[in-house]
Structures are given as structure tokens and as C-alpha cells.
Amino acid sequence: MFERAWKSKAESYSSSDGDALEWLKSNKEFTENVFDIDPYASPYEALEIIGQKATTERIGIVCTDGTLRRVSMMRTRIPKFFRDRCGWPERSLTLMAGIYHQYPRYLRHVLACVLPRWEVERLAVQYGKGTWKQATVYFAAILTKRPTPGTEAES
């Protein structure tokens, strides 16, 4: 992926071997400005760690999301991660319908809950194609770091 896409865009590049979440947790900070997250299911746990440890003022993320829209499509229980971060109930058909039909809106909400220090500057969403692939979503975002309270310039 680095050779085909990120070589000309990323200021620096690192990849993980083995368990990506453990690799992310083991790093003290991230100076990279682009993150490509492609898990088998949820990218949000990785995004949370990156959001806490990224040192640049602006980052790009590219994610494969096999969780949020799939949960809503299948009408299963909302994962504990989302319940804890977003304050969502374990099961709500109204919420699930909203997530499925208005995914970008709910994705922005999830990103705000998971990455409270960051603001979405730009967001692009692409839905998977085919019977079950439509529950997988690919998204890219540019995030800018929110000013730390008390450090904003007074006007």
C-alpha cells in the first residue's frame, strides 16, 4: 500500500507486524500523518489509540469499517465499545435504522465520541457492493486537532 498510494503522501511510514492493536498500544506516540486501518471488523479501537497518541496537528485516516453498518443491517446488539463511547443502548431498532440509512451522519458522531481531541475536516464514504458487502463501508477522513482548552488564543 505504501508503494502504490502513500509513498507520495505520507511524511513517514510504519507498518505493524502481528496484532495491530498491541502494536499501537506499545507505541508512546505517532508522528505519522496518514493511517490506513484495515481490520477484519472494527477500526474504532485502533482509531481511538491513534487519536490519543498522534502528535501532528492534522492526520489522514483511511478505514475499512466492517462493524457499524453491519450491526445495523443485521439488527444485532450494538457492541460494548459503542455503548461505552457513544452512550448508545445495547439494542435499538430506531438507532440501527438510522445508522444503516444515514451512515455518514452516525459515523461523524462515532468519530467525535472516539476521537474527542479531533475534528472532522473532510469525510468521504464508499459503501461495499453486493449482497453482504453493502454492510462494509470504506471511509477516509482528514482530521484536525482541536485546541486544548485554555490554550486557545484570546480574541
Side-chain angles (χ1 to χ4, degrees), residues 19-33:
D19 185 327
L21 288 178
E22 289 304 316
W23 184 85
L24 289 169
K25 289 175 188 175
S26 72
N27 284 275
K28 182 179 178 179
E29 64 182 25
F30 299 110
T31 58
E32 293 80 9
N33 66 331

Side-chain angles (χ1 to χ4, degrees), residues 14-15 21 23 28 64 77 85 90 101 115 123 127 133 146:
S14 299
S15 63
L21 288 178
W23 184 85
K28 182 179 178 179
T64 302
R77 288 184 172 85
R85 302 318 184 276
E90 184 174 1
H101 294 290
L115 301 160
L123 178 65
Y127 301 101
K133 291 181 182 176
R146 294 180 192 276

Side-chain angles (χ1 to χ4, degrees), residues 43-44 63-70 103 107 124-128 133-139:
Y44 300 102
C63 294
T64 302
D65 179 1
T67 299
L68 187 59
R69 197 160 189 246
R70 182 174 309 276
Y103 176 85
L107 173 61
V125 173
Q126 175 65 50
Y127 301 101
K133 291 181 182 176
Q134 64 194 1
T136 299
V137 181
Y138 309 93
F139 68 88

Side-chain angles (χ1 to χ4, degrees), residues 45-152:
E45 292 80 355
L47 281 173
E48 183 174 59
I49 296 167
I50 290 165
Q52 293 167 350
K53 297 182 178 188
T55 60
T56 60
E57 296 299 312
R58 191 171 188 233
I59 60 175
I61 57 169
V62 178
C63 294
T64 302
D65 179 1
T67 299
L68 187 59
R69 197 160 189 246
R70 182 174 309 276
V71 164
S72 64
M73 182 176 143
M74 303 298 289
R75 304 293 194 256
T76 60
R77 288 184 172 85
I78 296 191
K80 186 173 181 354
F81 184 86
F82 295 123
R83 296 192 319 257
D84 291 347
R85 302 318 184 276
C86 300
W88 287 347
E90 184 174 1
R91 191 159 168 79
S92 166
L93 295 179
T94 303
L95 175 61
M96 290 179 192
I99 292 168
Y100 187 79
H101 294 290
Q102 297 177 32
Y103 176 85
R105 180 176 167 215
Y106 284 86
L107 173 61
R108 282 182 179 276
H109 176 73
V110 169
L111 292 175
C113 294
V114 173
L115 301 160
R117 295 177 45 213
W118 297 87
E119 185 173 327
V120 177
E121 182 181 313
R122 298 186 59 124
L123 178 65
V125 173
Q126 175 65 50
Y127 301 101
K129 297 184 182 348
T131 304
W132 293 108
K133 291 181 182 176
Q134 64 194 1
T136 299
V137 181
Y138 309 93
F139 68 88
I142 297 173
L143 306 172
T144 53
K145 198 173 278 185
R146 294 180 192 276
T148 305
T151 63
E152 301 163 6

